[in-house]
Amino acid sequence: MRAARLIKMVLLLQSRTSMTAAELARELEVSERTVTRDAQALSEAGVPVYAERGRAGGYRLVGGYRTRLTGLGRGEAEALFLSGVPGALREMGLEDAASAARLKVSAALLPSLRDASRTAAQRFHLDAPAWFTEPEAPPLLPRVADAVWDDRRITAGYRRGTDEVKRELEPYGLVLKAGVWYLCARVAAAGAFRVYRIDRFTAVAFGGERFTRDEEFDLPAFWAERAEQFAGSLLRAEVVVRLSGEGVRRLPHAVDPASARAALAAVGAPDGQGWVTVTLPVESEEVAHAQLRALGPEVEVLAPRELRARFARDALRLTRLYGP
């Protein structure tokens, strides 16, 4: 523990001109007294750490000293490529590896380039979860992530509705979609690739051997295909609606965007009032009722009859609430 902290302290001082005791204490998550002891230990070990007293003082390395401990380990290198998703790194248990990797890269850069990570972080940030949600990392996520990194077979318990099933899986990749973690894995018995929600795993045990990864497997392409299939499988019903110009503009924000684009692509010429009639794929009449209400008076439901009747009842209630 202390050895890792001492190395980190050297890398910090190598990547910056000087640092105060308070700054080092904050970075190393220790007290300033511990920083003083660590600096003394480094000096006794031959690392030229120099302490400057006074208001503008601090710690620095003397004579352009550079450590050779900047080689990236495999885990650090892999974590570095995910460093743009700090929340995901934390949830997978890779935050420390990424921090060490960033320090090593910074220490290896020319002095004029050492602020690159800071300036990039000030300008770009990826916030993966959706709005108005408080996603919680599934407790088994770090264990599943370890299996993904090591190409290790797992035996997993998985909730399917009210039942629990057991699966022998070859975990290929993790996907974070709108704050929800998914595992793309090959079922050992069937040889088919499937997608599992991590928060539905009830148990994960490592198998005794590693699997041979199919090098032709393309995780982004696989996910895009399955996501499109999943979205399409939900759209099992159709509704016919008339839309005003404003309704056409707002439709993709009220319903599934792909469904809206497909419906609007086949639309005919506007009628005498400037409205258009479209046939819209939807998940169900219940879902369509909830979604289309957001368009208010910019939409008229023509079919099915029961859905139109529900909107008529909504209109009557609104008239009673807001009418004279």
Side-chain angles (χ1 to χ4, degrees):
M1 182 71 175
R2 192 190 184 197
R5 189 175 71 242
L6 292 174
I7 292 173
K8 186 173 182 179
M9 183 174 179
V10 173
L11 291 172
L12 284 168
L13 292 174
Q14 184 173 314
S15 64
R16 307 179 192 182
T17 304
S18 67
M19 296 182 68
T20 66
E23 290 172 337
L24 283 168
R26 184 166 56 252
E27 289 282 354
L28 300 172
E29 299 181 352
V30 295
S31 67
E32 293 186 27
R33 181 173 296 180
T34 299
V35 168
T36 301
R37 288 198 297 263
D38 285 351
Q40 183 176 352
L42 286 171
S43 182
E44 291 173 355
V47 179
V49 178
Y50 178 70
E52 293 181 319
R53 299 184 180 277
R55 193 171 184 181
Y59 292 90
R60 63 183 178 87
L61 295 175
V62 180
Y65 176 86
R66 297 184 66 81
T67 177
R68 296 180 181 179
L69 298 173
T70 53
L72 291 178
R74 180 176 181 83
E76 293 169 344
E78 290 170 334
L80 185 62
F81 285 102
L82 294 171
S83 59
V85 196
L89 282 169
R90 184 172 54 255
E91 293 176 3
M92 288 190 291
L94 297 173
E95 189 173 28
D96 289 341
S99 175
R102 286 191 294 269
L103 276 173
K104 289 182 177 181
V105 169
S106 180
L109 291 173
L110 293 172
S112 61
L113 299 178
R114 286 176 188 163
D115 66 342
S117 61
R118 180 181 60 82
T119 56
Q122 287 175 339
R123 289 162 173 80
F124 301 100
H125 176 67
L126 176 62
D127 185 8
W131 286 106
F132 311 117
T133 60
E134 296 182 4
E136 294 183 3
L140 292 174
L141 175 60
R143 192 165 181 81
V144 175
D146 286 344
V148 170
W149 287 119
D150 278 348
D151 295 338
R152 188 180 293 276
R153 285 191 176 93
I154 61 173
T155 300
Y158 190 75
R159 291 196 313 275
R160 178 179 289 175
T162 58
D163 300 326
E164 183 176 332
V165 297
K166 184 172 289 187
R167 291 286 184 267
E168 301 286 336
L169 301 175
E170 296 175 353
Y172 267 67
L174 291 167
V175 175
L176 177 60
K177 171 69 171 178
V180 180
W181 284 96
Y182 297 88
L183 172 68
C184 300
R186 183 163 58 188
V187 182
F193 286 95
R194 294 177 183 169
V195 177
Y196 299 87
R197 279 184 61 138
I198 301 295
D199 57 6
R200 293 180 184 171
F201 282 117
T202 58
V204 173
F206 290 153
E209 59 182 11
R210 291 177 172 84
F211 64 90
T212 301
R213 177 177 286 267
D214 182 355
E215 296 301 329
E216 295 184 358
F217 178 78
D218 186 332
L219 179 61
F222 171 78
W223 176 259
E225 179 184 355
R226 289 304 173 92
E228 184 177 354
Q229 291 175 356
F230 175 72
S233 69
L234 295 177
L235 306 177
R236 301 172 183 173
E238 288 185 344
V239 298
V240 181
V241 299
R242 288 178 70 236
L243 295 166
S244 68
E246 178 65 13
V248 169
R249 188 187 69 81
R250 289 166 48 187
L251 184 65
H253 303 287
V255 301
D256 175 68
S259 173
R261 286 194 299 267
L264 294 174
V267 74
D271 59 21
Q273 296 177 312
W275 289 47
V276 295
T277 300
V278 301
T279 300
L280 185 68
V282 294
E283 185 175 342
S284 66
E285 290 186 22
E286 186 70 30
V287 172
H289 180 245
Q291 292 176 334
L292 293 175
R293 280 190 304 182
L295 299 181
E298 310 302 329
V299 62
E300 177 189 2
V301 176
L302 303 178
R305 181 180 300 175
E306 177 54 34
L307 183 59
R308 179 179 174 86
R310 293 184 67 173
F311 273 88
R313 291 194 292 270
D314 288 346
L316 182 60
R317 291 178 61 193
L318 288 171
T319 299
R320 290 171 178 167
L321 284 173
Y322 296 105

